[in-house]
Amino acid sequence: MYRIAVVEDQPGDARQLMTLLKRFAGERELSFDVTHFSSAEALLDDYRRVWDLIFMDIQLPGLDGMAAAHRLRELDAAVVLVFLTNLAQYAVESYEVEATDYLLKPITAAALELKLPRILGRCGAGTRDVVIRSGVTTLRMKSSELYYVEIYDHHIQFGTGEGVKRSYGTLKEIEKDLPDCFFRVNNQTIVN
């Protein structure tokens, strides 16, 4: 599932983008969880690193989109950022905050269909955090850092880039918390 934030002060523009995203996801059997914020402050106040993709209008009341993007990068350098704008002149400035792309308003289905596959490829869906609980120890890692999960007599081994982590439980319990990029290859093994 892709977690997407739309930061747009114009309700009509926000609805249009959200409708196009819903249609795009439905046509491609993707899962989008889209949340609308009417201001940059609404997104950035109590910001949590849960988003895969943020669509940010540049011309926002209060904290404008470019200033918000600079603040966002201090909080989250990894989230994919796409600007929404009426003016192409902001394209050059968007590179300062490592924006992936920008969409000119009014956003059309054709523009979204052209750009969104490349944007989603940069999102790292499936890199959400995985939480491993073992007794009193809890490990948190990006799912992209978890290569496989194996089980032997309720002893679970998590193959990571930093070595093997061990826990106790059932593979079924672990599997339900893993993102869609994991695949069960047999009764004892799930691979990323």
Side-chain angles (χ1 to χ4, degrees), residues 61-114:
L63 186 65
D64 70 43
M66 197 57 68
H70 283 282
R71 202 165 131 205
L72 174 67
R73 286 301 181 220
E74 293 172 6
L75 301 170
D76 190 344
V79 68
V80 174
L81 176 63
V82 175
F83 282 117
L84 309 172
T85 183
N86 292 320
L87 305 168
Q89 71 193 43
Y90 290 107
V92 173
E93 194 175 350
S94 70
Y95 292 110
E96 291 178 17
V97 290
E98 298 180 32
T100 298
D101 211 330
Y102 67 95
L103 292 169
L104 287 175
K105 293 198 247 177
I107 298 166
T108 64
L112 201 63
E113 287 174 16
L114 178 69

Side-chain angles (χ1 to χ4, degrees), residues 169-185:
T170 67
L171 203 56
K172 188 173 187 173
E173 290 171 350
I174 300 298
E175 187 175 29
K176 70 180 172 55
D177 293 329
L178 294 174
D180 294 339
C181 61
F182 285 85
F183 178 75
R184 186 187 277 244
V185 293

Side-chain angles (χ1 to χ4, degrees), residues 5-144:
V6 173
V7 184
E8 172 61 70
D9 63 317
Q10 299 298 316
D13 289 344
R15 269 192 311 275
Q16 180 182 11
L17 177 56
M18 293 170 74
T19 299
L20 291 172
L21 287 169
K22 183 178 179 181
R23 185 167 68 187
F24 183 93
E27 291 171 353
R28 288 160 182 80
E29 296 182 10
L30 297 172
S31 180
F32 289 171
D33 178 11
V34 182
T35 303
H36 173 238
F37 296 91
S38 59
S39 71
E41 292 89 352
L43 171 73
L44 294 173
D45 289 347
D46 300 319
Y47 182 82
R48 294 173 302 135
R49 296 177 61 162
V50 297
W51 306 107
D52 296 304
L53 170 59
I54 297 175
F55 288 99
M56 173 108 47
D57 186 14
I58 290 181
Q59 296 177 306
L60 292 167
L63 186 65
D64 70 43
M66 197 57 68
H70 283 282
R71 202 165 131 205
L72 174 67
R73 286 301 181 220
E74 293 172 6
L75 301 170
D76 190 344
V79 68
V80 174
L81 176 63
V82 175
F83 282 117
L84 309 172
T85 183
N86 292 320
L87 305 168
Q89 71 193 43
Y90 290 107
V92 173
E93 194 175 350
S94 70
Y95 292 110
E96 291 178 17
V97 290
E98 298 180 32
T100 298
D101 211 330
Y102 67 95
L103 292 169
L104 287 175
K105 293 198 247 177
I107 298 166
T108 64
L112 201 63
E113 287 174 16
L114 178 69
K115 293 187 174 199
L116 198 52
R118 184 180 69 81
I119 292 167
L120 292 176
R122 304 241 356 237
C123 281
T127 60
R128 68 181 169 105
D129 285 352
V130 174
V131 178
I132 301 168
R133 290 179 183 84
S134 174
V136 295
T137 304
T138 300
L139 301 171
R140 180 180 298 272
M141 70 182 77
K142 294 288 184 192
S143 62
S144 61

